């Protein structure tokens, strides 16, 4: 594909460092360049990415960086990172049930480990460790299955018993007589959290430096196809933009975009809510997740307890859910972490997640030549951000999925080879 | 006892006869009943109350209520300690003990203030630009950052207090009891409608409590408030909720409110919750939430003693406290003059009024002039002086457009700066309800424009929150809208007359978003916008310059508006500054989304009583107390508590399970099987229905006969199993797994109602109607024979997979000859009320046979010995009957059943799917861990290719060795092969077998 | 918290209900005659309309009956609810009436 000849080139990026900060302090920080441009859309691109969240921006970045495709536009209907990237609870881990999932998420986790340095943007990836709790014999059995599967995939994982969990998480209640006592858990020490907005901004800045046009406030309103079916471009609120390859990474709106393109996806759009407490001095430095009581908790660097649970049960694009969900979440939090009772909820919000029947994503070609979809990440997309973009860029560049992406193609819903991450335990996060 | 040096000699809504002692940072002070902690501190001349989040700058009290960003304190100690409370909202009680936060070692000398010295290195978002090298050090940097961040401290232990929930369904909910809300409540209440009036403050009245220059019907505003409140209190259909913050506005007029029931008392009140969460579904909502004053942005506008003008006035009028002895008012708005006049009226000499307007005029301005107050028209505050308290300001005349100084600055000494930057309607709840806002260029603020959903969430905004600044108009609108809200719910009352209101006239104001100084913004000092998070005008400019153009980006990059005050004082100033930097207008930059809650709300209040034992219901069987009395260890199965095993003194789990397993085969074992799901299936099409929902055939099942069935989903995967018995031609008794019962009932009901409404079938869950004692083992027939004389128990008369009705020990019973252990077995079903009686009779009569209760663990072992699956253990949603080697149960004759088509999809027909097999370890005493992964080609270290996993694994005392079941890729063709299970530290070799380990001929089921 | 109008019980909090996604998707009469793609469509493919949408709800903690609702999935406005077997109302007409 043709690189971006004759166009307004992006400027070489200033390096970020403590020295740059000190230097810029002398000029009252008035010398900092913009992190990314806000260009007008061109008439045509080699690849258009629809959706300026983390997954879309990483796709564009890797297309430019690894596949030499620099004439790329990322179209975002609002502001970049404003969807689930900026609304999630930022849990990162690769400890899944099935080999296909473990490999995909571990690929992502390895990219997280070098991300700040690669992007020259501190995404504050904090490998503080993620614990998944089991609260019954049945869950404990399921967890040991996950533990063995993760371990034999060569991924770090440890079984932890209640006493060890108490040492790692002093505020947890391991009283064996509570309604759902802690039976044990698995700990992935390389897992953790990151600063979600920074991931979008860091990739946007890096993609921009490679020539990618990031176009905000540009909503796709239709797909245009040649008579023989091939995609030739998209209609947007800022006019028609031509391209023979369009990659859609629209998260909660994947079903809407697919219907716009004329096909249906095995997707359900659901509200997912989260909330934070007021900031307090550090009380928990692990991420702890519990399926049985439906809650997960971590503490942000700012000091807020970050709490989340499962999705609301109905379809909605309102980016809000029912208040009974947070209510149950807070009851569960008090149950497992009694000191939280007198703390206060500061803010609650909702996003729209697109869930698949098997709680695994779709990274796939579609019935329309030249149109690709990366969606269905449900409640767990943030952790996959760099890996998702990495394999999706590969799929778009070569028009065939690589080994990591192949199990997640749309075919599986027809042939029956699902990657069912619900397992026997219910919810997958 | 201190002397409250700033307490005015008279006035204020405090009870001077009731002094209250309190402590702040360990020092003792005195205030009065009716004080807040903030007013009491100011009365005692304590202005320095906190340190800011990032720079640890000394901070004082800025506001009067919910908007306060600075004065955050930690209340009490130990398990009742509570961080981050706003001193402006904490009602004073005797013995109150509070500490400042975010400082070390103490508020006056805070080491963290070194950040302030290094502030040049810490512009907005500095952390995104550094701490990256070396990568390995980030976790260390992070720990330092984390310890520096955070505000107050969590309590030390569990919360000793109790919280409650309350549901309410009023005709009209009115939020806010200022003049507009009181008027609305009065109009609605007089119609007889069911009205709730809620206000976050302890006392109703809103702005009328802080203003002494408003007269209604010739009396003071506060007298009018008292009259209205008295009338409302007399109305039986009106509920008054002071101290109740309506903080969340959700779909279809569902609102949440938090009532502080005992917090202001400072002691435990018996039989009373600490807080109450109100869940309100209102037919009509009237929002009367008032306004929030905007601070002015000028250099070093954060020194203690720099305060909102209405707050300074409120302290004087409402609390009788002089927040300063030489106040300076800075304003572009007539309202600032009211503060100056309030202080002047109390004999306090003003340092002056700095008015942004070049040409102020009107009654208030004239009144100030008459009082001899020095008015500096067209002036700016260029900076402030002081440390722990403001000591003076630099002022200068501005150029005509307010962008710079026209003259050099001069200093004015003062100890209080009361600033008025205009007012923002409190549109938080309106916005939460998804109402659309509009920028009002006259008011320079966002006001409500369009209600989101007038059908499902009818609502109205009145008074300040609707952009109405006059009390007279607010009352008029309140009466009108309160009445219309009531009328919309069916009332036909007439509109009461509006009272006559005298209030100061407010003229045109001038807004300057950043007051000009002698140096550009960012070059000298700091122009704070968000006080709590230390976000300055320079930070906002930097964000815009760096390309963070959306207000959401600016907010997230700079953290403006993200403190515990959620930007109540900073959001609009920030928007305006960003708009100016980008050269666009404010509406184009947008507004950030207002999210619940309006003010931070106690997590425990949401939990309410739904914690502890009430967190989730516990289901127990009729025999539960016997199990407990006999030492059972329990296992959680869904919501059920089931006996897991019954250890005798000194026994390990393994020893107990071995004993139970031996007895269940060789003597008599007894299992409480009551938790199995049971569904009564009745109707003329019942057999046809079962034929459709199970994979095997059901039409010809004889009456009194039982059949095992596998239930699949339409994808072809196993979802449940159980034995179903035909009780009559049109009547079946279905059993399901314990955990799957609710899901199965839902699955059946759904198909019946939505796919096959033509079938006449009625489903009833009868799980809790029956108590089930399952007895098995060599002596179980003898045991039952002794208790049952009306059923012939011989194999001939009562064959396997049959059901007989009769009596057991005189109790009417259904006895099923079915077996999950492979042993001769009878499942005795009796009505639940007889469950314990039956159990006790069986235990007594079985004593001579060595009857032994066994739990779920022994049950698992016994069924595994015979190779019976457990759904959810041998299956995980990806397993077909063929994978389980249960082809025999999949009808080839039936045209259709749920799951049949799914089984014929390509990937479900592959030969090398994961299939159920048995595994025997080389060493018979080695018990594999369940979940162990099976490998053919063992590598020295991971990764290695896995073929499947161990689904069940036990030591079987009956087999004299360990046994295991597993799902293995192509397992059915691998029987006899040797594979490995690599564990941490060792690898166990296993042989693949049939998944049957005991009584291979199946002869024991007939005894 | 939305108020979902159960045709039998009246409006109730959404917490009482279970959601059933797109309405009017019938199980094929003779599944064996359906292609793999058609079976996939029945099992998994459902519309995700943003806007007025015909969807199924089950009053789990009430009468336990399924019914259909026309609800706007973006605004959460509810236009109609009707019993199974009844025809789907004309959504355009319903929403137009509302606007008028």
């Amino acid at each position: 594909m043709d690189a971006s000849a004759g166009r307004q080139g992006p400027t070489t990026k200033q390096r970020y460092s403590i020295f740059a900060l000190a230097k810029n302090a002398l000029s009252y920080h008035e010398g900092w360049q913009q992190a990314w441009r806000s260009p007008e859309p061109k008439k045509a691109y080699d690849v258009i990415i629809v959706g300026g969240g983390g997954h879309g921006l990483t796709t564009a970045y890797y297309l430019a960086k690894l596949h030499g495709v620099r004439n790329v536009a990322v179209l975002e209907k609002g502001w970049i990172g404003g969807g689930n990237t900026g609304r999630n609870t930022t849990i990162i881990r690769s400890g899944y049930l099935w080999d296909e999932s473990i490999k995909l998420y571990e690929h992502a986790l390895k990219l997280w480990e070098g991300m700040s340095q690669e992007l020259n943007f501190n995404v504050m990836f904090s490998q503080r460790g993620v614990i998944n709790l089991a609260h019954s014999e049945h869950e404990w059995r399921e967890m040991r299955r996950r533990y063995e599967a993760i371990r034999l995939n060569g991924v770090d994982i440890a079984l932890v018993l209640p006493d060890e969990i108490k040492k790692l998480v002093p505020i947890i209640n391991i009283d064996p007589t509570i309604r759902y006592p802690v039976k044990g858990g698995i700990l992935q020490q390389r897992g953790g959290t990151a600063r979600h907005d920074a991931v979008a901004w860091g990739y946007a800045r890096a993609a921009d430096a490679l020539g990618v046009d990031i176009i905000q406030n540009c909503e796709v309103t239709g797909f245009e196809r040649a008579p023989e079916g091939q995609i030739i471009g998209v209609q947007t609120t800022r006019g028609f933009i031509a391209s023979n390859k369009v990659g859609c990474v629209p998260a909660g709106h994947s079903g809407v975009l697919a219907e716009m393109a004329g096909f249906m996806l095995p997707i359900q759009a659901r509200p997912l809510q989260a909330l934070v407490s007021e900031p307090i001095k550090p009380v928990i430095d692990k991420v702890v997740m519990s399926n049985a009581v439906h809650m997960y908790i971590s503490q942000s660097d700012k000091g807020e307890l970050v709490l989340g649970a499962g999705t609301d049960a109905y379809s909605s694009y309102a980016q809000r859910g029912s208040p009974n969900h947070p209510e149950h979440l807070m009851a569960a939090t008090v149950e497992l972490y009694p000191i939280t009772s007198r703390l206060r909820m500061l803010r609650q919000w909702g996003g729209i997640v697109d869930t698949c029947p098997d709680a695994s994503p779709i990274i796939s070609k579609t019935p329309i030549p030249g149109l690709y979809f990366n969606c269905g990440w449900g409640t767990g997309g943030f952790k996959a951000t760099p890996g998702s973009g990495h394999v999706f860029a590969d799929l778009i560049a070569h028009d065939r999925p690589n080994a990591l992406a192949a199990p997640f193609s749309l075919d599986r819903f027809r042939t029956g080879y699902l990657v069912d991450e619900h397992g026997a335990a219910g919810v997958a996060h | 006892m201190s002397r409250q040096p700033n307490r005015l000699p008279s006035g204020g809504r405090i009870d001077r006869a009731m002094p209250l002692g309190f402590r702040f940072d360990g020092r003792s002070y005195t205030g009065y009943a009716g004080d807040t902690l903030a007013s009491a501190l100011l009365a005692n001349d304590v202005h320095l109350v906190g340190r800011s989040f990032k720079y640890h700058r000394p901070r004082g009290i800025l506001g009067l209520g919910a908007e306060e960003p600075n004065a955050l304190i930690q209340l009490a100690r130990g398990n009742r300690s509570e961080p981050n409370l706003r001193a402006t909202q904490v009602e004073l009680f005797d013995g109150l003990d509070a500490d400042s936060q975010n400082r070390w070692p103490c508020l006056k000398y805070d080491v963290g203030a070194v950040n302030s010295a290094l502030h040049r290195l810490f512009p907005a978002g500095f952390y995104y630009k550094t701490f990256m090298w070396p990568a390995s050090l980030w976790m260390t940097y992070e720990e330092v950052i984390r310890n520096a961040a955070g505000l107050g401290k969590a309590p030390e232990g569990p919360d000793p207090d109790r919280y409650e929930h309350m549901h309410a369904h009023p005709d009209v909910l009115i939020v806010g009891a200022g003049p507009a809300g009181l008027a609305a409540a009065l109009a609605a209440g007089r119609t007889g409608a069911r009205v709730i009036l809620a206000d976050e403050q302890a006392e109703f009245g809103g702005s009328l409590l802080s203003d002494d220059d408003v007269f209604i019907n010739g009396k003071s505003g506060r007298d009018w408030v008292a009259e209205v409140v008295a009338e409302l209190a007399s109305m039986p259909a009106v509920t008054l909720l002071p101290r109740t913050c309506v903080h969340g506005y959700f779909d279809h007029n569902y609102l949440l409110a938090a009532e502080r029931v005992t917090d202001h008392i400072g002691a435990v009140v018996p039989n009373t919750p600490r807080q109450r969460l109100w869940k309100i579904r209102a037919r009509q909502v009237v929002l009367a939430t008032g306004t929030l004053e905007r601070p002015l942005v000028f250099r070093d506008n954060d020194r203690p003693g720099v305060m909102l003008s209405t707050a300074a006035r409120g302290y004087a009028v409402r609390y009788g406290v002089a927040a300063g002895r030489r106040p300076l008012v800075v304003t572009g708005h007539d309202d600032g003059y009211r503060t100056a006049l309030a202080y002047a009226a109390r004999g306090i000499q003003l340092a002056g009024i700095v008015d942004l307007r070049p040409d102020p005029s009107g009654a208030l301005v004239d009144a100030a002039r008459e009082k001899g107050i020095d008015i500096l028209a067209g002036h700016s505050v260029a900076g402030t002086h002081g440390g722990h308290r403001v000591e003076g300001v630099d002022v200068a005349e501005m150029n005509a457009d307010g962008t710079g100084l026209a003259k050099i600055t001069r200093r004015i000494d003062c100890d209080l700066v009361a600033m008025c930057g205009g007012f923002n309607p409190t549109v938080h709840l309106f916005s939460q309800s998804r109402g659309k806002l509009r920028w009002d260029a006259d008011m320079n603020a966002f006001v409500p424009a369009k209600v989101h959903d007038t059908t499902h969430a009818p609502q109205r905004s009145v008074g300040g929150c609707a952009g109405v600044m006059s009390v007279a108009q607010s009352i008029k609108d309140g009466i009108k809208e309160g009445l219309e809200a009531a009328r919309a719910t069916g009332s036909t009352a007439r509109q009461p007359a509006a009272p006559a209101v005298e209030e100061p006239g407010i003229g045109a104001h001038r807004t300057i978003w950043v007051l000009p100084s002698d140096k550009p913004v960012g070059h000298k000092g700091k122009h704070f916008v968000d006080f709590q998070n230390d976000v300055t005008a320079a930070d906002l400019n930097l964000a815009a310059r760096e390309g963070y153009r959306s207000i959401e980006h600016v907010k997230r990059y700079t953290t403006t508006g993200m403190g515990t005050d959620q930007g109540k004082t900073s959001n609009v100033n920030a928007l305006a500054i960003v708009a100016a930097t980008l050269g666009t207008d404010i509406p184009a930059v947008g507004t950030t989304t207002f999210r619940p809650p309006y003010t931070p709300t106690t997590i425990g209040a949401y939990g309410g009583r739904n914690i502890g034992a009430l967190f989730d219901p516990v289901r127990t069987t009729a025999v539960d107390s016997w199990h407990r009395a006999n030492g059972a260890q329990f296992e959680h199965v869904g919501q059920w508590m089931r006996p897991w095993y019954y250890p005798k003194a000194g026994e390990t789990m393994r020893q107990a399970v071995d004993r139970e397993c031996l007895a269940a085969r060789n003597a008599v074992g007894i299992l409480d099987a009551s938790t199995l799901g049971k569904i009564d299936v009745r109707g003329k099409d019942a057999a046809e229905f079962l034929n459709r929902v199970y994979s095997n055939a059901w039409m010809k099942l004889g009456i009194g006969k039982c059949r095992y069935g596998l239930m699949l989903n339409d994808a072809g995967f196993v979802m449940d199993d159980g034995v179903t018995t035909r009780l009559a031609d049109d009547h079946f008794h279905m059993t399901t797994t314990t955990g799957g019962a609710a899901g199965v009932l839902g699955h059946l009901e759904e198909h019946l109602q939505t796919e096959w409404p033509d079938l006449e079938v009625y489903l009833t869950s009868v799980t809790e109607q029956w108590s089930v004692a399952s007895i098995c083992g060599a002596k179980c027939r003898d045991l039952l024979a002794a208790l049952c004389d009306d059923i012939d128990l011989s194999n001939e008369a009562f064959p396997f997979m049959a059901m007989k009705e009769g009596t057991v020990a005189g109790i009417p019973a259904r006895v099923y000859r079915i077996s999950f252990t492979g042993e001769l077995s009878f499942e005795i079903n009796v009505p639940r009320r007889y469950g314990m009686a039956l159990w006790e009779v069986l235990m007594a009569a079985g004593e001579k046979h060595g009857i032994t209760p066994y739990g779920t663990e022994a049950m698992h072992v016994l069924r595994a010995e015979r190779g019976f699956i457990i759904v959810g253990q041998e299956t995980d949603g990806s397993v077909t009957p063929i994978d389980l080697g249960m082809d025999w149960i999949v009808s080839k004759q039936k045209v259709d059943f749920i799951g049949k088509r799914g089984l014929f999809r390509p990937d479900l027909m592959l030969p090398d799917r994961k299939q159920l097999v048995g595994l025997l370890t080389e060493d018979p005493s080695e018990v594999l861990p369940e979940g162990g992964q099976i490998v053919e080609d063992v590598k020295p270290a991971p990764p290695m290719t896995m073929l499947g996993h161990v689904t069940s694994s036990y030591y079987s005392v009956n087999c004299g060795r360990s046994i295991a079941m597993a799902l293995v890729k192509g397992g059915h063709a691998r029987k006899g092969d040797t594979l490995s299970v690599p564990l941490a530290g060792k690898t166990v070799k296993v042989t693949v077998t049939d998944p049957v380990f005991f009584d291979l001929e199946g002869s024991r089921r007939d005894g | 918290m939305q108020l979902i109008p159960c045709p039998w019980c009246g409006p109730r909090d959404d917490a009482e209900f279970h959601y059933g996604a797109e309405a009017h998707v019938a199980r094929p009469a003779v599944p064996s005659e359906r292609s793999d793609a058609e079976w996939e469509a029945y099992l998994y493919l459902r519309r995700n309309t943003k806007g007025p949408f015909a969807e199924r709800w089950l009053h789990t903690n009430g009468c336990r009956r399924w019914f259909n609702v026309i609800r706007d999935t973006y605004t959460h406005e509810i236009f109609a609810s009707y019993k199974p077997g009844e025809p789907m109302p004309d959504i355009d007409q319903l929403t137009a009436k509302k606007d008028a």
Side-chain angles (χ1 to χ4, degrees), chain C residues 36-96:
Chain C
D36 289 335
E38 286 171 316
W39 201 246
E40 174 197 8
Y42 166 63
L43 286 179
Y44 302 124
L45 303 185
R46 296 291 182 275
R47 261 170 234 295
N48 277 281
T49 305
K50 181 177 185 176
F53 184 48
E55 58 190 17
R56 304 188 313 149
W57 289 79
L58 166 66
H59 197 184
T60 325
N61 298 331
C63 62
R64 291 193 69 86
R65 285 201 264 191
W66 284 92
F67 58 97
N68 299 322
V69 174
I70 310 288
R71 184 181 65 107
D72 189 310
T73 57
Y74 177 66
T75 66
H76 292 177
E77 283 174 280
I78 290 170
F79 298 100
S81 77
Y82 53 103
K83 297 173 182 175
E86 293 178 359
M88 179 163 83
D90 184 328
I91 291 184
D92 291 340
Q93 216 171 23
L94 274 178
T95 50

Side-chain angles (χ1 to χ4, degrees), chain B residues 169-190:
Chain B
H169 297 80
D171 293 323
V172 185
L173 168 69
I174 296 156
V175 186
L182 285 169
L186 197 60
R190 282 178 180 170

Side-chain angles (χ1 to χ4, degrees), chain A residues 30-45:
Chain A
E30 286 169 357
W32 291 106
Q33 295 169 354
Q34 56 184 3
W36 60 87
R37 299 160 296 134
S38 295
E40 285 301 308
K42 293 190 286 179
K43 286 197 166 59
Y45 289 92

Side-chain angles (χ1 to χ4, degrees), chain B residues 317-338:
Chain B
V317 176
R318 182 169 172 182
Y319 299 104
V321 172
R325 292 292 172 184
R326 193 164 172 75
L328 177 86
V329 171
V330 188
T331 184
H333 196 288
D334 277 353
D335 198 78
Y337 285 75
R338 297 171 75 185

Side-chain angles (χ1 to χ4, degrees), chain A residues 29 126 179-180 301 335 345 415, chain B residues 120 142 601 612 616-617 907:
Chain A
H29 297 287
S126 166
R179 182 65 187 86
Y180 288 103
D301 286 350
E335 186 65 10
M345 169 176 51
T415 63
Chain B
R120 279 284 182 82
E142 190 189 36
T601 307
D616 196 33
D907 282 331

Side-chain angles (χ1 to χ4, degrees), chain A residues 345-369:
Chain A
M345 169 176 51
L346 173 61
R347 190 170 69 248
Q348 67 176 80
W349 66 93
I352 313 161
V353 298
D354 48 335
T355 60
C356 275
D358 57 357
S360 285
I362 293 166
I363 308 166
S364 185
K365 298 168 75 167
T366 69
I368 298 170

Side-chain angles (χ1 to χ4, degrees), chain B residues 345-658:
Chain B
R346 283 159 180 78
I348 291 167
Q349 197 186 350
L350 274 289
I353 296 176
V354 175
D355 197 321
L356 309 181
R357 299 171 294 187
D359 207 3
S361 64
L364 283 164
V365 179
D366 294 342
R369 286 202 176 104
E370 273 169 36
K371 286 272 181 190
I373 301 171
D374 192 14
I375 298 172
L376 300 161
H379 274 59
S380 172
V381 172
T384 67
H385 300 277
H388 292 170
R389 176 85 185 264
V390 66
E391 288 163 7
V393 298
D394 291 331
V395 301
E397 197 176 327
M398 291 183 284
N399 60 20
D401 60 5
T403 54
L405 301 184
K407 301 204 172 131
I408 57 161
T409 62
R410 68 186 169 88
R411 176 170 168 152
I412 301 177
D413 288 340
C414 61
D415 62 358
L416 170 69
V417 176
M419 55 180 170
C420 176
F423 295 87
N424 291 323
T426 309
V427 292
H428 297 66
L429 290 175
F430 175 81
S431 173
Q432 281 183 29
S433 79
R434 305 174 75 187
K436 292 265 180 309
L437 300 172
R438 154 182 86 74
W439 180 255
D440 183 318
D442 290 334
M443 194 177 180
N444 269 320
F446 285 103
V447 295
K450 186 170 179 286
V451 171
H452 170 69
D453 179 353
T454 51
T455 309
H456 302 92
Q459 58 164 290
R460 350 155 161 258
S461 292
V462 295
C465 71
V468 175
M469 293 305 290
S470 115
V471 172
Q473 190 63 40
S474 294
I475 291 177
K476 225 179 261 174
D477 292 350
I479 289 172
K480 175 169 169 284
E481 298 295 336
L483 182 75
E484 281 185 13
R487 277 185 181 158
T489 70
S491 161
T492 54
R494 286 176 46 206
Q495 185 165 324
V501 178
E502 290 169 59
E503 61 186 316
I506 300 288
H509 61 269
R510 181 184 196 189
T511 303
I512 298 176
W513 297 108
V514 180
L515 300 195
S517 186
D518 52 345
K519 289 268 172 67
V521 161
H523 287 223
K524 184 180 174 191
K526 295 206 173 298
H527 299 66
F528 285 96
V529 178
D530 183 314
F531 291 86
Q532 188 178 113
N533 278 350
D534 281 337
V535 181
T536 66
D539 289 325
L540 296 167
N541 291 343
L542 173 65
R545 189 182 308 125
E546 290 195 276
Y548 300 89
R549 287 158 180 250
S550 156
I551 190 61
E552 287 289 346
H553 282 160
V554 173
K555 174 179 151 182
R556 288 153 181 261
Y557 189 66
T558 64
T559 75
T560 191
M562 299 188 80
T564 63
D565 55 326
Q566 292 283 285
K568 288 186 179 65
T569 53
S570 62
N571 277 344
V572 172
N573 280 341
L575 268 173
I577 290 166
V578 171
T581 308
L582 295 176
T584 106
D585 55 358
I586 290 167
V589 180
T591 178
T592 59
T593 319
F594 291 97
R595 299 189 185 287
Y598 172 66
T599 51
T601 307
T602 306
I603 287 173
Y606 284 86
R609 305 295 293 270
N610 304 324
I611 56 168
L614 300 178
F615 176 64
D616 196 33
V618 179
R619 297 175 78 181
T620 55
T621 71
V623 196
D624 187 66
S625 58
W626 189 94
H627 301 317
R628 286 179 196 281
N630 286 273
Q633 294 294 305
F634 284 84
E635 177 184 12
H636 290 66
V637 184
Q639 287 175 321
W640 289 98
M641 294 287 265
R642 298 193 71 180
W644 190 14
Y645 59 100
Y646 299 82
K648 289 188 168 168
E651 267 185 345
T652 63
M653 176 174 176
R654 166 80 173 270
Q655 288 165 338
V657 172
D658 283 357

